[in-house]
Structures are given as C-alpha cells and as structure tokens.
Amino acid sequence: MVGSGPAGASAALLLATYGVRVRLVTKYGRLSDTPRAHITNQRTMEVLRDIGVEDQLMREATPWELMSNTTYCTSLAGEELGRVPSWGTDPGRHADYLQASPCSMVDAPQTITEPILVGEAQRRGAQIRFDTEYLSHTQDADGVTARLRDRLTGVEYDVRSQYLIGADGARSKVAEDLDLPFEGPGAVGGALGIIFEADLSRFVAHRPSVLYWMLQPGAEREGVGLGVLRMIKPWHEWMLMWGYDVAAGPPQFTDAFVRELAVKLVGTDDFEMKVTSTSPWTVNHHYATSLARGRVFCVGDAVHRHPPTNGLGSNTSIQDSYNLCWKLAHVLRGTAAQALLDSFDAERAPVARQIVERANQSIADTGRIMQALDLTDTSDVDLLDQRLAARKAPGPEGDKIRQALREAIAFKSYEFNAHGVEHNHRYASTAVVPDGTVMPAFARDPELYAQPTTWPGAKLPHAWVTRRGVKVSTLDLGGRGEFSVLTGIGGKPWVDAARALAAGIGITLRPVSIGPGEEFEDPYGTWAQVNEIEDGGVLLVRPDLYVAFRSVTAAPSDQAARELLGQALRAVLGHG
Ligand SMILES: Cc1cc2nc3c(=O)[nH]c(=O)nc-3n(C[C@H](O)[C@H](O)[C@H](O)COP(=O)(O)OP(=O)(O)OC[C@H]3O[C@@H](n4cnc5c(N)ncnc54)[C@H](O)[C@@H]3O)c2cc1C
C-alpha cells in the first residue's frame, strides 16, 4: 500500500482485519498535518462500524447536530443571505437519513480519522513505514516489485508483494506509472487554504455549522464558488478558503495578506488569530476511467480528483478500499479467482466519474446565488451593495430578488443534502448476479434521496430488526469480510444450502433468518417493507454489504436452493 491518507489507511485496516499480511509505506514521517476532508457520511460510518472503529471516531468527531445551518452571508459579522439546513439535519429530511442507516454523519477532519485508522491497522498487524517513498514498480504474473526510498537514509530498496495498492493521492505516481486513462479538464481553479485559531463563537455558536460561505468582492473567482470559513473545532479552529488564478500562480501568504482575508470574511478586525498553516491547492476535475492494471490498483484521490464540495473525497476513498479489500482477501486466501478483482474497476470507475462531476457541478450551482442578485460578477462593489440593498426593498423588484435568492440557496441541497449521491450506487459487474428484473426506477430525485432496494448490485437496505428483543441493524448481520445469506420463514433450504456450500468452498457464509420465532425478528415490520423478497426468498450479501444475488421466491426444493446459491456464489467468486 502506498499512502496513509483515508484511502490507504482504511485499506491497511481492512486488509489487516481480514487477516492479510500488509505493509503500508508513506512519504512523510507523520500522518496528515492539515484537517482537509471532514464531512464523514453515513455510508463511510457504516464501513467504519463494520471494521469496529465507528465508536472511536464518534468520540473524537464533531457531532451531527452541530453540522446544520450552512450559512450564506457577506461575512460572519455581516448580513445573512440565507441558510441551508445541511447533511440531513432539516426536520423534513432527517427521517430519510435515520431510515437509511444505523449511523450518524459526523465532522471528522483527516487529523482525527487517519490516526484512528492507521493506529488500529497497526494494532491488527499491518506494518507501517513512515518516511518511505514509492518510486516505481514492475509487475509480472506472480507479483509486484516496488522500488522504495527510505527518506531518512536515502537508501533505495525493492519490496516484493502479491499486489500493490496506490493510495498516493491526487498526484499519484502509481497511477502515472500505470498510465491510467483520465478524463476531465484537469486543474480548473486555484484555492488558498489558511488554517488558524481564533475564538469566533460569538458569530457562530447560535447557528452551528461546519461551513459559512461569504459573498465578498472577488469571492466568486476561482476557488470553490465563494469565500469560505470552515469550522475545524467548534468554534476555535478554522480553515479559510479563497480562490486564486492557477495560471498566475498563488499569491504570497504574507501576514498582512492573510490577516486582510480573514478580516474580510469575519467582517471585523476585532478578533485575535494565530495562523497555523497556509497552502495553495488546485480545484480539479479529473477522474480515471480505469482504476487498475493487472496486480496494481489505485484508490482514492489517485483516481478521482475534485473539489471538496459535497464532501465526497475521503468518503469515496474509504469506500473504494472497502470495495477492493474483501476481494483481495478472498483471492489471497484462494477462495476466489483472480477474475473477482476485475469487478473493482467495473464497480468503482463509474463512481469516480459520478462524484467528480457532482462536486464540480456544485461549484457551478453556487453561481445561482449571483444570478438571483442579478450579478455576473462582484467586481463592481457599488453594484454589489446596490443589489444587496435591493433585496431588502419593498415592492415587486425586491420580492423577485428575495424569491430568486431563496430558490438559489435551497438549490444548494444538491451539495449539502445529496443523500442519494451517497447511497444509491448500483454496481454492475461479474461480482453481481442479475435476477432478470429491471432496476427499480427512482421514485424521487436520485441525487437527493436514498432509495433502498435489494435489487442485485445495490447496498443491503438498513432496517432495525431484533435479536432476543435487542435492536440490531440488518447491516450488522453481514460484513466483517464474509458473505451472508438472509432469508426468512420458509427459507430453511437456503440456510442448509449456505451451510453445505460454506463447508464445500471453505468460506464463511453466515446464514441469517428473520421472522417470528427465528434468531432475528422484525417487530417493526420495516425489514418486510424494504426487503422486496417473499418470506422464503433469499439475499446473498457480499462482505461489503452489497446484494450479490437474490431469489424473490422460496426455493422449489433443497437441491434447487443448493444449485442456485452455489451457481451464484461461484459466479461472484470468479469461478463461474
Ligand atoms: C480543503 C479541503 C477540504 C476537503 N473536504 C473534504 C470533505 O469534507 N470530505 C471529503 O470526503 N473530502 C474532502 N476533501 C478531499 C480529501 O482531502 C481527499 O479526497 C482525501 O484526502 C483523499 O484521500 P486519499 O487517501 O486518496 O489521498 P491523500 O489524503 O492525499 O493521501 C495520500 C497519501 O499518499 C502519500 N504519498 C503520496 N505520494 C507518495 C509516494 N510517492 N510515496 C509514498 N507515499 C506517498 C501521502 O503522503 C499521503 O499519505 C477535502 C480536500 C481539501 C483540500
């Protein structure tokens, strides 16, 4: 594994948990020294729950209830243009989120996430090598030889492994060496990141949020659409984001320049600040259309490079690793054929494209706020002031602006409440066995609303069932690196088939029966509402909690159950 960001750290933890011998090398003598990714969505929390670190992250992260109130304003001390109740905190949306997952969203900067993932990976047996740089690799039919440099001594050496994962971020040398095909215009803008400590409680504690967006002269140029103050720790640590022209290069971060920007966005100079870090970064629009070659795989920003809008970066990176690692573990154990690994590319390359497009679209959508004020840019400060004043005027012109502004700000739900983007992936690959039915159409906007289904290729729906009266999520019935088989009353042939197949193939195939008098019961009836199978039907669930195969109806006989489940399992494992 190359890289200890969210992608590499989670892959190391997953593989170590699955019993794979893993070595992670990372360039610097430390983990991330800046907070960067922070929005941690429910799907990622489900992954962390499956590997047993959800609670650790919850303890250290900023909780869900402080993530609401994304605010559009002229400055923290200035005028408010509007707010977006975010990340599912709007009462009108909260139930959607609670129904979709047993997990909360949290705000966890990389400075919190990485030590948890890497520390736990190490405890579970992963070898971590700091100050070690990947230089190049060659691969043959049996393995990969990576050339590494110890950055403390300068000594170069080779490491031989069966597989190599490039989790080396947006400037991935592994992806470059693989010559992976990329699409998209590349660097489309520049942004400055300034991290500072300042007690800004008096401006924000009454409207807790992780993001405050500022309409200020020049704010819409480059960058992420407007000026931003992002909470890192409530309400004392902040990241300021402001655009710069990539062609011209970043400005000098002089003390005066940094202070001036901060004062502009806070809206007063009546506060003290201590700058802890400054860095320019590029707003990218770039994704790989193929994520692997032979024995080498790329995950995370190595293959999808996009702005932080929608908070999808580290989430998608961790989910790439979740998709890949169970497959690698099964191939390394000899229970799956190498062909299973091809499904990683087939399943995750479309996600890479989707999230890069989504994150960039969200920057473009911020332009609606300018349009609502009838502004093409903010260069004319008097005109900006006039338009802001017109918004407060009585009469039809003011009404029109107010209405347009409300709509433009509400439209930002595609950035801050894009629940469907986070949950609605439908995988199509050899690791999914179609059941001949057409994918259920989305009843609501697929970007905004998660729609559970057991259609093969979709994530197993969450429902609260009970075991001896205690609530358990259906997501807790599978995972942990193993397959599971979910059925109900009348599903005994599937349970017997699962037991026989597990013994025959040498894998764990956890049979789970849900119904009155079974090990798990469905007293709320929610599982029956979402499972889309008859009581005697079955779902074969992959270790990453995606449905691999289903039979809506009961098996006609014990033998048919064995044959159908066996065929499906062999197909998924690449033996078909
Ligand atoms: C300001 C900002 C805010 C963001 N907010 C969010 C957010 O809210 N939510 C979200 O999901 N995403 C967000 N992102 C994006 C997120 O930071 C990235 O998507 C995420 O870090 C990608 O993880 P990664 O592991 O793929 O890469 P990285 O975190 O970049 O990690 C790459 C790793 O590879 C190592 N490395 C690189 N080259 C080599 C080499 N040659 N040899 C050895 N090691 C090497 C690096 O040292 C590092 O450890 C944000 C990004 C920025 C800049």
Side-chain angles (χ1 to χ4, degrees):
M1 197 96 48
V2 183
S4 55
S10 59
L13 175 54
L14 284 157
L15 288 173
T17 307
Y18 300 158
V20 173
R21 218 150 57 87
V22 52
R23 175 181 296 188
L24 180 152
V25 300
T26 190
K27 193 165 168 182
Y28 302 106
R30 50 152 178 81
L31 299 177
S32 182
D33 59 349
T34 57
R36 301 173 67 205
H38 54 126
I39 303 298
T40 307
N41 66 36
Q42 288 177 304
R43 181 63 195 129
T44 300
M45 293 302 279
E46 289 168 2
V47 174
L48 302 182
R49 179 183 181 97
D50 184 32
I51 36 177
V53 295
E54 180 194 16
D55 290 346
Q56 279 185 60
L57 197 76
M58 293 283 286
R59 274 198 295 276
E60 294 193 35
T62 297
W64 201 0
E65 58 270 22
L66 296 186
M67 296 170 70
S68 190
N69 297 306
T70 299
T71 302
Y72 288 87
C73 49
T74 55
S75 66
L76 285 189
E79 263 183 60
E80 263 198 35
L81 305 178
R83 301 182 189 180
V84 187
S86 299
W87 317 112
T89 55
D90 185 320
R93 293 299 317 270
H94 200 52
D96 292 334
Y97 283 67
L98 296 182
Q99 278 165 0
S101 174
C103 298
S104 307
M105 293 197 76
V106 294
D107 187 279
Q110 268 172 249
T111 37
I112 287 179
T113 312
E114 287 184 19
I116 291 175
L117 296 176
V118 172
E120 200 55 36
Q122 201 166 24
R123 269 190 287 283
R124 296 183 195 183
Q127 288 182 28
I128 314 289
R129 291 271 190 281
F130 287 97
D131 291 305
T132 304
E133 184 175 4
Y134 160 89
L135 299 176
S136 62
H137 76 268
T138 54
Q139 59 172 314
D140 53 49
D142 303 318
V144 185
T145 304
R147 185 84 180 152
L148 306 176
R149 177 169 46 220
D150 182 323
R151 282 162 52 92
L152 297 180
T153 61
V155 172
E156 291 185 15
Y157 60 99
D158 290 340
V159 169
R160 181 81 177 156
S161 59
Q162 298 217 43
Y163 295 96
L164 173 70
I165 301 180
D168 48 342
R171 272 173 277 195
S172 172
K173 177 78 167 68
V174 178
E176 184 189 319
D177 291 346
L178 285 181
D179 199 19
L180 293 182
F182 275 83
E183 284 184 11
V188 291
L192 307 174
I194 297 164
I195 299 168
F196 64 97
E197 292 166 13
D199 180 0
L200 301 179
S201 321
R202 69 188 194 276
F203 303 110
V204 292
H206 58 287
R207 46 177 174 176
S209 173
V210 296
L211 291 166
Y212 300 86
W213 295 75
M214 320 304 176
L215 179 61
Q216 279 276 338
E220 84 289 2
R221 268 181 250 133
E222 311 280 341
V224 289
L226 290 178
V228 178
L229 281 172
R230 170 194 145 190
M231 179 280 295
I232 295 167
K233 285 211 188 94
W235 311 105
H236 299 262
E237 200 176 335
W238 298 88
M239 178 189 276
L240 182 158
M241 285 183 255
W242 187 261
Y244 75 89
D245 177 1
V246 252
Q252 289 287 316
F253 286 100
T254 60
D255 291 350
F257 173 74
V258 169
R259 177 71 187 174
E260 193 188 325
L261 264 184
V263 167
K264 185 152 52 172
L265 297 200
V266 175
T268 169
D269 67 357
D270 183 19
F271 69 102
E272 286 180 17
M273 67 189 282
K274 181 175 153 213
V275 176
T276 53
S277 136
T278 55
S279 58
W281 45 278
T282 42
V283 176
N284 292 314
H285 189 152
H286 220 205
Y287 52 88
T289 51
S290 174
L291 316 183
R293 291 222 196 281
R295 292 175 164 270
V296 184
F297 302 85
C298 281
V299 289
D301 275 17
V303 280
H304 32 80
R305 302 157 187 179
H306 55 90
T309 31
N310 287 72
L312 291 167
S314 75
N315 288 299
T316 310
S317 303
I318 290 172
Q319 289 157 36
D320 286 346
S321 295
Y322 195 50
N323 182 288
L324 176 62
C325 289
W326 70 267
K327 295 173 182 173
L328 277 173
H330 276 268
V331 171
L332 285 165
R333 270 182 228 155
T335 47
Q338 187 102 343
L340 172 61
L341 299 174
D342 296 340
S343 65
F344 166 69
D345 201 5
E347 294 179 354
R348 295 304 293 178
V351 177
R353 180 198 172 106
Q354 178 209 6
I355 59 125
V356 170
E357 299 289 4
R358 178 62 259 168
N360 278 282
Q361 184 57 42
S362 289
I363 293 185
D365 290 346
T366 303
R368 287 168 177 254
I369 293 172
M370 302 279 295
Q371 286 156 19
L373 290 165
D374 204 12
L375 291 166
T376 46
D377 60 50
T378 52
S379 54
D380 185 337
V381 179
D382 292 338
L383 183 65
L384 173 61
D385 287 344
Q386 262 175 38
R387 303 307 303 158
L388 288 170
R391 160 186 164 261
K392 290 183 274 189
E397 201 207 343
D399 291 349
K400 198 170 131 227
I401 295 174
R402 286 186 286 279
Q403 169 75 6
L405 200 53
R406 276 196 298 274
E407 284 171 10
I409 289 175
F411 197 81
K412 294 304 292 176
S413 263
Y414 282 93
E415 180 172 350
F416 303 117
N417 293 299
H419 203 212
V421 172
E422 294 160 5
H423 287 268
N424 283 339
H425 300 125
R426 308 285 187 253
Y427 292 152
S429 76
T430 53
V432 171
V433 181
D435 68 354
T437 60
V438 178
M439 186 182 90
F442 286 100
R444 299 188 287 178
D445 188 317
E447 289 203 287
L448 294 181
Y449 298 96
Q451 180 166 309
T453 175
T454 58
W455 192 71
K459 191 193 80 171
L460 177 70
H462 153 71
W464 289 113
V465 294
T466 57
R467 184 167 185 263
R468 288 192 226 110
V470 177
K471 270 168 74 175
V472 184
S473 167
T474 44
L475 301 187
D476 297 331
L477 306 182
R480 281 159 279 157
E482 307 295 354
F483 285 85
S484 46
V485 167
L486 269 62
T487 184
I489 305 284
K492 187 161 180 305
W494 301 116
V495 171
D496 293 343
R499 291 208 172 102
L501 284 165
I505 305 177
I507 61 168
T508 303
L509 194 53
R510 206 177 295 130
V512 175
S513 186
I514 305 172
E518 300 293 292
E519 184 183 4
F520 296 93
E521 304 206 18
D522 182 25
Y524 305 101
T526 40
W527 175 237
Q529 269 168 26
V530 291
N531 68 18
E532 298 171 326
I533 54 172
E534 295 173 8
D535 285 351
V538 75
L539 303 175
L540 172 63
V541 181
R542 306 188 330 186
D544 59 355
L545 298 167
Y546 274 73
V547 177
F549 159 81
R550 78 173 170 184
S551 169
V552 172
T553 54
S557 66
D558 291 354
Q559 184 166 344
R562 251 197 314 278
E563 278 173 16
L564 283 168
L565 204 55
Q567 272 165 17
L569 199 55
R570 276 190 292 279
V572 171
L573 292 172
H575 297 307

